[in-house]
């Protein structure tokens, strides 16, 4: 029986010529679940960066004639049955004479044609002012694809703008937590001794507090009369203060095992400095864990920011985030009158699932024991 080793030899040779990160990329591309998460994450971040262009209106633009107006459906068929330019219909208000409840009924006489790249509210990007928006009406009338809130503001526009604030909060907290946790964890595990003992007692002290009560207590002392941006930064600092300890503890254990490896001992034997050993040997060998931890940390921060802002103790108006939008539906009357105000929940769910899928794909791709 003849065995053809040519294909196996070719596969072994091609794999041997790949670096670690090239292998990770190849494994990740083959992970459909992770790729779907990556595409969704890129779409969310793209929306956050170009939110003002995609959104039809400024988040504070009010249409006072349509307070609590329901979403407008896009039509592509004319009343006579033919295909026409996409359009929406305005709403006419009707009052029930028995219950005095106001309802909205589509008005076929109020047709508003849609178009791309229309003029609208001015916005700036990198210091340059623009007035074009991705979608709008040809005659400048209002279009509310996800309805309006209690002040007549467009929910769709506010939700897109809120993507920027929520993602900015998540990225800031995740980045700062990664930096502090990596610095403290690697230093503690590498140097050991008294320094390690002191650092670990600090980490244990930080982790000894229950998260939610401590978050609420720290956020409650924020000055309510301060500028919204100041509160935003202080809120982010509070989240960072309590989220770096987990990564620090995890990296400490990894570094303790890595510093006893032969290549680290060889670097010490040839006289390499501690800084060089940490930069060239320790941190690169913990980078996969740091990256995966960061991808799981981001959705947790998104959920936490949305929850605290929903309670009214996080991001403050006039800044718009998904949590501040949900703050408007804390009472059942508002929810019953305008259930479309819960639309940011959909964005939160999509974002959490997307980043978790991306993190799962990275974890599997970076696992040295996984199979292609």
């Amino acid at each position: 029986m003849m065995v053809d080793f040519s294909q196996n030899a070719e596969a072994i040779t091609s794999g041997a010529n790949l670096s670690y990160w090239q292998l990770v990329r190849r494994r990740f591309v083959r992970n459909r679940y992770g790729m779907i998460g990556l595409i969704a994450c890129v779409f969310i971040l793209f929306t956050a960066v170009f939110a003002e262009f995609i959104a039809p209106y400024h988040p504070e633009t009010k249409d006072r004639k349509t307070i609590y107006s329901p979403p407008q459906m896009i039509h592509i068929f004319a009343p006579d049955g033919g295909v026409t330019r996409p359009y929406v219909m305005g709403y006419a208000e009707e009052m029930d004479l028995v219950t005095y409840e106001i309802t909205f009924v589509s008005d076929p006489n109020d047709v508003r044609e849609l178009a791309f790249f229309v003029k609208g509210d001015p916005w700036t990007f990198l210091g340059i002012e623009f007035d074009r928006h991705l979608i709008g009406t040809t005659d400048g009338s209002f279009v509310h694809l996800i309805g309006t809130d209690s002040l007549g503001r467009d929910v769709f526009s506010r939700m897109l703008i809120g993507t920027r604030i929520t993602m900015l909060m998540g990225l800031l907290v995740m980045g700062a937590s990664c930096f502090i946790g990596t610095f403290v964890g690697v230093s503690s595990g590498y140097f050991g001794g008294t320094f390690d003992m002191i650092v670990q007692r600090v980490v244990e002290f930080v982790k000894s507090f229950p998260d939610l009560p401590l978050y609420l207590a720290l956020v409650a002392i924020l000055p309510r009369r301060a500028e919204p941006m100041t509160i935003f930064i202080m809120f982010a600092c509070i989240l960072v203060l309590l989220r770096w300890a987990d990564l620090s503890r995890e990296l400490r254990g990894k570094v303790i095992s890595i510093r006893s490896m032969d290549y680290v001992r060889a670097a010490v034997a040839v006289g390499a400095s501690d800084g060089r050993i940490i930069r060239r040997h320790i941190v690169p060998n913990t980078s996969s864990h740091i990256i995966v931890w960061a991808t799981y940390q981001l959705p947790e921060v998104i959920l936490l920011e949305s929850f605290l802002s929903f309670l009214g103790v996080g991001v403050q108006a006039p800044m718009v985030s998904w949590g501040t939008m949900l703050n408007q539906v804390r009472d059942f009357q508002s929810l019953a009158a305008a259930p479309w105000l819960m639309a940011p929940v959909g964005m939160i769910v999509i974002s959490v699932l997307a980043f978790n899928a991306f993190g799962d794909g990275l974890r599997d791709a970076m696992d040295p024991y996984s199979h292609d």
Side-chain angles (χ1 to χ4, degrees), residues 5-55:
F5 294 99
S6 59
Q7 294 182 351
N8 293 334
E10 182 180 355
I12 294 173
T13 303
S14 61
N17 292 332
L18 295 177
S19 66
Y20 170 74
W21 291 108
Q22 289 174 329
L23 289 172
V24 168
R25 183 177 62 183
R26 187 176 68 175
R27 292 173 181 169
F28 182 80
V29 170
R30 294 179 180 180
N31 189 319
R32 295 183 179 178
Y33 183 64
M35 286 299 297
I36 293 174
L38 174 60
I39 294 172
C41 292
V42 171
F43 176 77
I44 293 170
L45 295 176
F46 178 85
T47 301
V49 174
F50 299 100
E52 293 178 325
F53 167 68
I54 302 173

Side-chain angles (χ1 to χ4, degrees), residues 255-306:
V255 172
I256 290 176
S257 62
I258 292 175
R259 71 180 183 182
S260 61
M261 302 296 289
D262 291 339
Y263 60 86
V264 176
R265 293 183 176 182
V268 174
V270 298
S273 64
D274 292 334
R276 179 178 176 82
I277 294 174
I278 291 175
R279 291 194 309 269
R280 299 297 298 273
H281 300 287
I282 302 296
V283 173
N285 283 280
T286 59
S287 59
S288 60
H289 182 85
I290 296 172
I291 293 173
V292 173
W293 184 88
T295 58
Y296 285 115
Q297 187 72 9
L298 188 55
E300 290 184 7
V301 176
I302 292 174
L303 285 173
L304 183 59
E305 183 277 327
S306 300

Side-chain angles (χ1 to χ4, degrees), residues 67-68 101-102 148-150 310 326-342:
I67 294 176
Y68 280 144
E101 180 182 1
I102 297 178
T148 60
D149 61 8
S150 59
F310 166 74
L326 294 175
N327 181 261
Q328 300 179 7
V329 291
R330 285 187 299 175
D331 59 280
F332 290 104
Q333 293 181 348
S334 298
L335 180 59
W340 52 87
L341 294 179
M342 293 291 292

Side-chain angles (χ1 to χ4, degrees), residues 242-254:
L242 301 176
R243 303 201 73 83
W244 61 269
D246 290 331
L247 179 62
S248 172
R249 177 63 63 86
E250 295 170 9
L251 289 182
R252 171 183 176 270
K254 288 184 172 293

Side-chain angles (χ1 to χ4, degrees), residues 194-274:
T194 305
F195 177 76
D196 178 47
M197 183 188 66
I198 295 174
V199 169
Q200 292 311 305
R201 300 296 81 76
V202 173
V203 171
E204 291 172 359
F205 176 77
V206 172
K207 290 179 63 64
S208 65
F209 292 98
D211 290 342
L212 184 57
L214 186 58
Y215 282 131
L216 295 176
L218 292 176
V219 172
I221 65 176
L222 293 179
R224 293 302 166 190
R225 296 184 180 181
E227 293 293 329
M229 181 55 68
T230 303
I231 296 179
F232 177 86
I233 296 174
M234 296 177 67
F235 181 45
C237 292
I238 290 174
L239 297 185
V240 172
L241 180 65
L242 301 176
R243 303 201 73 83
W244 61 269
D246 290 331
L247 179 62
S248 172
R249 177 63 63 86
E250 295 170 9
L251 289 182
R252 171 183 176 270
K254 288 184 172 293
V255 172
I256 290 176
S257 62
I258 292 175
R259 71 180 183 182
S260 61
M261 302 296 289
D262 291 339
Y263 60 86
V264 176
R265 293 183 176 182
V268 174
V270 298
S273 64
D274 292 334

